[in-house]
């Protein structure tokens, strides 16, 4: 239910994916682990604590390109396969304009901010290449004989003559592996890919009251694009009939959503800042598309079922419109500014992932019940520091993202444990006059998870273990005026 690599509809994992965000935005924010809730003065805070917009004393423009290098290892039959995926995107693009009122007390300024911040990136690739003791075609046969015939899977297998009903086997479906006496040990290759991400377009207002209290509001518009695809290939090379085949699957979700954010920063003394923020649930309007296709290649035409040596069949495209709602988010933060030496910042965020929902509930009640049973509330912690060396700034950060899964789930084992996600980062910046440039690097290690490939017989699932590591490099160009 969590991964659903062969899903033809929405899953519990889809709605979780909509509510998990990781450190993005400007290079300064990335370099400090995203711990900016009580600091402000950075355009990434429009997506976390918009009160930080009130810290601005002038106007600013920022542009932040990012390079993502994703390494994914896949473990199957005690063999590990490593694959890499590279992606360029825009981590931040924003502008803030500040009106200063030049008062000794009361409202000091009002700032309007417009920004795009990248909240998450789904890019990764993986593959396995093994000698198999069973076949994906066994799953198609097992499901067809159980009355679970699906036109996106078994329908294509039958149309391309990979499975067929045979009178010698009591009219049951069989495949060429069965017909050849269950001869396996064929080469099997599964290539897996994920693409897309979530970005937020933020429209924000922030104000400064007596240089002590900062208030902010953001209206966030989310852009969502997720794609999950795989190609499954087998090469039995039978002297008669089936030589090889491939099966493709492609699943996409795209759409948009909206939420609101309120935040405040209180500065009781010059060196200390305390922050609070709350995010409403994000309401999403989404569309999913699912399609498959299959091709078979024969050494000689199947005697009873066909006359050609190759067949290809695409499925129809299944399109579904639906809505989703993510949980409330609550944030608390604190920062200490140590004169002109540097600063230390801490952020805490609580999200109850069991409150994710697909809507309307009358259509997704069973799935929403699964969400409640699978997921739990989690605490995300971030810490960052910055040291000033004249015009040079050195930064370091750490982020801990609590596991959204309950501990007692059957999906966890000695090999795949319920663990949090850890992120480590560092960076540097240079500022002179009205121009500055920041660079940052982050290393994020995600927990291992099972990737279910196919089910050859009842009660048995062929699964690999995947682990993804993200290396991100970001560079911010900023102009103050």
């Amino acid at each position: 239910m969590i991964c659903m690599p062969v899903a033809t509809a929405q899953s519990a994992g889809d709605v979780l994916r909509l509510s998990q965000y990781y450190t993005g935005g400007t290079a300064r924010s990335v370099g400090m682990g995203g711990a900016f809730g009580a600091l402000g003065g950075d355009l990434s805070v429009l997506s976390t604590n918009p009160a930080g917009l009130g810290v601005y004393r002038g106007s600013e423009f920022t542009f932040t390109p990012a390079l993502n290098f994703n390494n994914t290892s896949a473990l199957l039959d005690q063999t590990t396969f490593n694959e890499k995926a590279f992606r360029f995107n825009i981590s931040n693009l924003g502008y803030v304009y500040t009106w200063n009122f030049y008062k000794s007390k009361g409202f000091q300024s009002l700032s309007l901010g417009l920004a795009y911040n990248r909240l998450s990136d789904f890019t990764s690739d993986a593959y396995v290449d093994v000698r198999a003791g069973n076949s994906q075609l066994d799953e198609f046969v097992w499901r067809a004989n159980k009355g679970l015939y699906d036109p996106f899977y078994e329908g294509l297998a039958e149309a391309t003559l990979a499975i067929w009903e045979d009178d010698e086997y009591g009219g049951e479906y069989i495949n060429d592996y069965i017909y050849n006496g269950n001869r396996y040990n064929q080469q099997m290759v599964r290539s897996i890919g994920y693409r897309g991400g979530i970005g937020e377009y933020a429209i924000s207002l922030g104000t400064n009251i007596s240089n002590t209290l900062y208030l902010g509001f953001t209206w966030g518009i989310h852009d969502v694009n997720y794609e999950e695809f795989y190609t499954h290939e087998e090469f039995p090379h039978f002297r008669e009939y089936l030589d090889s085949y491939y099966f493709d699957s492609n699943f996409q979700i795209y759409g948009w959503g909206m939420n609101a954010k309120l935040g405040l920063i209180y500065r009781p003394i010059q060196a200390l800042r305390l922050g609070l923020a709350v995010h409403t649930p994000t309401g999403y309007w989404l569309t999913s598309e699912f399609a498959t296709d299959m091709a078979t290649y024969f050494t000689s035409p199947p005697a009873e079922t066909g006359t050609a040596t190759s067949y290809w069949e695409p499925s129809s495209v299944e399109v579904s419109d639906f809505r989703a709602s993510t949980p409330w988010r609550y944030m608390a933060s604190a920062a200490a500014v140590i004169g002109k030496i540097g600063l230390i910042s801490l952020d805490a965020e609580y999200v109850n992932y069991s409150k994710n929902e697909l809507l309307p509930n009358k259509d997704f009640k069973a799935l929403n019940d699964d969400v409640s049973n699978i997921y739990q509330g989690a605490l995300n912690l971030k810490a960052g520091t910055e040291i000033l060396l004249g015009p040079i700034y050195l930064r370091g950060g750490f982020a801990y993202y609590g596991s959204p899964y309950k501990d007692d789930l059957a999906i966890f084992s000695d090999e795949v444990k319920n663990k949090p996600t850890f992120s480590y980062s560092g960076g540097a910046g240079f500022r002179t006059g009205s121009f500055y440039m920041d660079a940052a690097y982050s290393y994020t290690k995600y927990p291992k998870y099972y990737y279910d490939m196919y089910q050859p017989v009842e009660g048995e699932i062929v699964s690999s273990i995947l682990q993804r590591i993200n290396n991100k490099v970001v560079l911010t160009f900023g102009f103050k005026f």
Side-chain angles (χ1 to χ4, degrees), residues 75-96:
L75 176 64
L76 181 64
D77 290 344
Q78 300 181 335
T79 304
T80 300
F81 305 88
N82 295 300
E83 188 63 282
K84 298 180 180 180
F86 167 81
R87 198 72 171 177
F88 168 83
N89 57 46
I90 303 300
S91 183
N92 161 265
L93 177 66
Y95 172 75
V96 57

Side-chain angles (χ1 to χ4, degrees), residues 22-31 34 42-48 62-68 87-95 114-121 197-202 438-442 470 472-477:
Y22 299 96
T23 300
T26 66
R28 188 183 180 199
S29 175
V30 171
D42 186 275
L43 278 166
S44 63
V45 302
L46 274 64
S47 296
T48 54
T62 62
F63 171 64
T64 307
L67 296 175
N68 285 274
R87 198 72 171 177
F88 168 83
N89 57 46
I90 303 300
S91 183
N92 161 265
L93 177 66
Y95 172 75
L114 304 172
Y116 170 83
N117 289 311
R118 188 80 165 181
L119 301 182
S120 62
D121 188 86
I198 300 177
E200 179 175 70
Y201 299 89
D438 296 322
Y441 164 79
S442 72
N470 172 261
K472 179 164 61 177
V473 178
V474 295
L475 188 64
T476 294
F477 302 92

Side-chain angles (χ1 to χ4, degrees), residues 246-260:
Y246 73 78
F247 181 90
D248 287 335
S249 172
N250 186 280
F251 177 61
Q252 297 182 63
I253 293 177
Y254 54 89
W256 63 285
M258 292 189 297
N259 68 14

Side-chain angles (χ1 to χ4, degrees), residues 135 175-184 186 234 236 238:
S135 170
N175 58 47
D176 264 327
Y177 292 100
I178 298 173
Y179 188 77
N180 283 271
N182 294 321
R183 288 171 51 197
Y184 296 102
Q186 79 280 9
E234 295 188 27
F238 292 130

Side-chain angles (χ1 to χ4, degrees), residues 110-132:
L110 177 67
S111 295
L112 170 66
L114 304 172
Y116 170 83
N117 289 311
R118 188 80 165 181
L119 301 182
S120 62
D121 188 86
F122 304 134
T123 299
S124 68
D125 287 333
Y127 83 101
V128 294
D129 185 349
V130 297
R131 290 286 174 176

Side-chain angles (χ1 to χ4, degrees), residues 242-367:
L242 186 64
D243 181 72
S244 62
Y245 82 89
Y246 73 78
F247 181 90
D248 287 335
S249 172
N250 186 280
F251 177 61
Q252 297 182 63
I253 293 177
Y254 54 89
W256 63 285
M258 292 189 297
N259 68 14
K261 305 175 181 68
L262 291 171
L264 67 84
I265 296 174
Y266 176 62
R267 188 166 66 174
I269 59 175
Q270 183 70 20
L272 180 64
R273 296 180 184 181
L274 304 174
L276 292 173
V278 60
H279 299 187
T280 69
T282 303
Y284 283 107
W285 289 262
L286 303 167
T287 298
S288 68
E289 293 186 6
F290 177 73
T292 56
D293 71 274
M294 186 170 180
T296 52
Y297 303 91
F298 296 88
T299 52
S300 59
E304 298 180 358
T305 55
T307 58
T309 56
S310 64
Y311 298 86
W312 175 75
E313 186 74 20
S315 73
S316 60
V317 179
E318 182 181 73
V319 180
S320 175
D321 294 322
F322 64 102
R323 292 178 288 123
S325 177
T326 66
W328 288 81
R329 309 178 85 91
Y330 305 96
M331 302 178 181
S333 52
V337 180
I338 310 168
K340 295 185 178 181
I341 299 175
L343 56 87
I344 298 173
S345 182
L346 302 171
D347 281 20
E349 175 189 59
Y350 177 77
V351 187
N352 188 349
Y353 294 104
S354 69
K355 300 300 182 182
N356 279 304
E357 288 184 301
L358 289 181
L359 301 171
N361 194 55
K362 66 181 180 65
D363 295 336
F364 296 102
K365 186 180 185 306
L367 190 146

